[in-house]
Amino acid sequence: MPEPTDTAAALAAVPADQRVAVVDTGFVGHVHALRLALTDPRFDACAVPGALSVRPAARGALDKAARTAPGTAADGPYADRLAAGLEAAGTTVQHPELGTLVATVPATADERRRATEAVAAVDEEAVRLRTAVKSRDGFFTTFFISPYSRYIARWCARRGLTPNQVTTASLLTALAAAGCAATGERWGYVVAGVLLLVSFVLDCTDGQLARYSLQYSTMGAWLDATFDRAKEYSFYAGLALGAARTGDDVWALALGSMILMTCRHVVDFSFNEANHDATANTSPTAALSDRLDSVGWTVWVRRMIILPIGERWAMIAVLTALTTPRVVFYALLAGCAFGALYTTAGRVLRSVTRKARRTDRAAQALYDLTDSGPLAELPRRLLPRERASAAAVWVAAAGAAALVGLALARPFGDPALIGAALLYAVTSGEAVARPLKGALDWLIPPLLRAAEYATVLVLAVKADVPGALPAAFGLVAAVAYHHYDTVYRIRGGTGAPPHWLVRTIGGHEGRVLAITVLAAVLARQDFPVALTALAGFVAVVVLVESIRFWVSSGAPAVHDEGEPA
């Protein structure tokens, strides 16, 4: 490290678009401690005792701190004083948790000797492997996958493989599993179950590789999130195709399973976005949950009963190998429905018992998650209202219930359903016309998702013609991709997709209206063709824009440490 008086000049010689690091020449510590401070791409500024690094976004603040860093050597290492100067100027500096890792700048020979002994006493590689695994994960993943997948991650790192390559391998393996399931033969089901488990092992490995080697990226977070859904839903389609070969039509069950999982994830996303920055975010229900988490066995039971991804994929794999697709979907629907009811009920209780104030950012995120198109935007544009309404969620629920209820009650093609779709557009528009800051407003996006998807399912079932349900499956899959893409753009801090995209694909209410009109004006045998054309249009538009965005995005590098159930 240059002398403090030379630091500003040394920084000026480094191009402004480069990451720079300042490390004290007296630093004693583990290499991985330095790696955490100097190479993690997720943070604009990161520091451990004696070392600091900044990305280009924080270079201006670092240059200023280098010119004005307070104190002398007696006030501590120069890198630490620079970090303090950055924080004092308003720049967020990440301080990674080191645990047993050592990072220090000894002031005396005796302190240096003790620090060196402390470094030697810690197995740095063991710490690195342990921290490559999520601190919070499901029972199956924790005890049946992570004990060995971390070593696969290290093997990949030592051979220069990237997390994105492992993610792609996981996708290809799952697609191969779906292809085996589509054969409809017992050998195909057995191989499909094995390949699905292999795919899940690779799915765990990619995240562990990212944490082990600190290879985080915006593209990686997007691939990891979207490929998980693509793998699972492709396997559903494979099971449905395999069952059809043996004369058992389970497309309705496959589509119902996809709808249930997608709506369940929207509940997760909406609740988290609504409350992650809320103030006074406490409730008796949350306190009870914290007390239960203090009892070891209850933690695992509560994680298992919601059927998270590890338990769910293990169940699907085993039942695929041993039973039939129909049994797989029955078990999946029952287990996921229970998990959805359990988690949603708990969140509703937390919401009605806490006294929290939702932020404008959270309200905007909820509105973006509604995926409202031109029709639903009208009340918001024509009659803007500043205050939240406790009735918003009930208005949305009433419109959704009327739409799905009439679709169930009336015959296919009944023009009355067009009126129900128009009423749905009005009620959903009224629900989002005010800022979504009510205690239960986070339920509005999943209610709208359920209404749209369920309407497609009911109409496809009532059409009762070959190809209707597979076409409906494709349409829901394309729209669901758009909704997941919206979530991960918001999570990445880049905001929702552009308005032109939402308007082009109609918004949720526009698509519902279009589908009901198609059902009313087309002959039954033409309905699957219309659904297929609509699915293709939505898929092309959202995929092209999504790929363009994520490839060229300037979003900060992120890696999703959580996993929707």
Side-chain angles (χ1 to χ4, degrees):
M1 184 187 77
E3 292 297 323
T5 54
D6 300 330
T7 303
L11 288 172
V14 180
D17 61 347
Q18 299 294 312
R19 184 170 188 157
V20 297
V22 178
V23 182
D24 197 287
T25 53
F27 177 87
V28 175
H30 290 101
V31 173
H32 192 53
L34 274 180
R35 188 182 291 114
L36 289 171
L38 306 185
T39 66
D40 195 325
R42 295 173 296 175
F43 310 108
D44 288 335
C46 197
V48 296
L52 165 72
S53 73
V54 300
R55 301 180 70 227
R59 277 292 303 277
L62 176 64
D63 292 343
K64 181 178 180 180
R67 294 191 298 268
T68 61
T72 63
D75 298 309
Y78 183 62
D80 294 2
R81 285 183 276 139
L82 282 178
L86 287 173
E87 291 181 312
T91 300
T92 300
V93 179
Q94 173 71 13
H95 296 275
E97 294 185 10
L98 298 179
T100 57
L101 295 177
V102 176
T104 186
V105 180
T108 65
D110 187 53
E111 288 180 357
R112 176 171 292 275
R113 177 184 58 79
R114 291 198 299 270
T116 303
E117 291 174 351
V119 169
V122 175
D123 185 343
E124 179 178 10
E125 182 61 18
V127 173
R128 192 178 177 190
L129 278 171
R130 186 174 65 252
T131 54
V133 178
K134 287 181 183 178
S135 58
R136 177 184 174 88
D137 220 329
F139 180 86
F140 179 77
T141 304
T142 299
F143 293 103
F144 292 91
I145 304 297
S146 294
Y148 58 86
S149 61
R150 68 185 74 183
Y151 296 101
I152 301 175
R154 180 173 66 183
W155 183 89
C156 293
R158 291 178 175 178
R159 282 153 184 80
L161 297 177
T162 67
N164 289 353
Q165 291 171 331
V166 178
T167 301
T168 303
S170 176
L171 173 66
L172 295 176
T173 305
L175 293 178
C180 290
T183 64
E185 303 286 342
R186 177 50 52 193
W187 70 265
Y189 291 143
V190 173
V191 174
V194 173
L195 288 177
L196 190 64
L197 288 176
V198 172
S199 175
F200 183 65
V201 171
L202 293 174
D203 182 58
C204 295
T205 300
D206 65 0
Q208 292 166 358
L209 174 59
R211 287 182 285 273
Y212 180 86
S213 56
L214 299 179
Q215 296 183 73
Y216 302 106
S217 68
T218 300
M219 175 69 77
W222 172 66
L223 290 178
D224 187 51
T226 55
F227 279 12
D228 277 354
R229 306 286 78 80
K231 289 180 287 189
E232 187 167 2
Y233 299 157
S234 295
F235 196 78
Y236 293 175
L239 286 174
L241 287 169
R245 288 179 177 271
T246 61
D248 188 14
D249 187 352
V250 297
W251 275 106
L253 296 177
L255 179 51
S257 298
M258 181 167 67
I259 290 172
L260 177 58
M261 286 308 309
T262 304
C263 292
R264 182 178 173 183
H265 289 154
V266 176
V267 169
D268 294 338
F269 298 140
S270 296
F271 182 79
N272 291 335
E273 288 300 324
N275 293 289
H276 85 283
D277 58 356
T279 57
N281 202 11
T282 59
S283 77
T285 308
L288 174 61
S289 178
D290 292 340
R291 286 197 297 272
L292 288 174
D293 281 345
S294 66
V295 182
W297 66 270
T298 66
V299 174
W300 295 117
V301 170
R302 294 172 68 216
R303 291 185 192 177
M304 290 173 66
I305 63 175
I306 64 172
L307 208 64
I309 188 170
E311 280 76 359
R312 188 168 70 251
W313 281 33
M315 182 190 75
I316 294 172
V318 171
L319 291 179
T320 296
L322 299 179
T323 65
T324 66
R326 182 171 290 272
V327 173
V328 174
F329 286 124
Y330 282 154
L332 188 62
L333 286 166
C336 291
F338 176 82
L341 288 173
Y342 173 81
T343 55
T344 304
R347 288 166 176 170
V348 168
L349 286 174
R350 290 188 185 201
S351 299
V352 298
T353 57
R354 68 171 33 134
K355 295 180 180 178
R357 190 165 52 199
R358 189 159 293 149
T359 64
D360 291 337
R361 179 212 169 277
Q364 182 61 45
L366 288 180
Y367 177 77
D368 291 335
L369 289 175
T370 65
D371 193 32
S372 296
L375 294 177
E377 283 182 333
L378 282 177
R380 186 182 177 97
R381 291 178 176 275
L382 297 178
L383 298 171
R385 282 154 275 193
E386 300 297 327
R387 298 185 62 182
S389 169
V393 66
W394 304 112
V395 172
L403 173 67
V404 177
L406 196 61
L408 287 168
R410 306 300 296 175
F412 177 82
D414 190 330
L417 195 56
I418 298 177
L422 290 171
L423 175 63
Y424 169 76
V426 171
T427 55
S428 59
E430 178 62 25
V432 301
R434 296 175 176 82
L436 299 181
K437 296 184 177 183
L440 295 177
D441 283 356
W442 56 271
L443 284 170
I444 293 177
L447 281 171
L448 302 181
R449 293 294 75 71
E452 178 183 0
Y453 298 160
T455 300
V456 175
L457 170 60
V458 172
L459 289 178
V461 169
K462 291 205 168 189
D464 195 25
V465 292
L469 280 165
F473 189 96
L475 175 58
V476 172
V479 176
Y481 173 85
H482 164 62
H483 291 146
Y484 282 113
D485 185 55
T486 300
V487 166
Y488 284 94
R489 293 196 198 205
I490 294 172
R491 281 190 171 184
T494 57
H499 284 302
W500 70 260
L501 175 65
V502 177
R503 294 192 182 102
T504 299
I505 60 175
H508 67 93
E509 79 290 354
R511 290 188 295 270
V512 166
L513 181 60
I515 292 165
T516 57
V517 170
L518 290 172
V521 302
L522 294 178
R524 287 176 184 266
Q525 61 269 24
D526 296 330
F527 189 60
V529 178
L531 288 183
T532 302
L534 183 57
F537 172 75
V538 172
V540 169
V541 172
V542 300
L543 278 172
V544 168
E545 205 287 325
S546 176
I547 292 171
R548 180 211 62 78
F549 170 80
W550 288 104
V551 168
S552 62
S553 173
V558 296
H559 189 81
D560 184 22
E561 293 295 328
E563 176 58 52

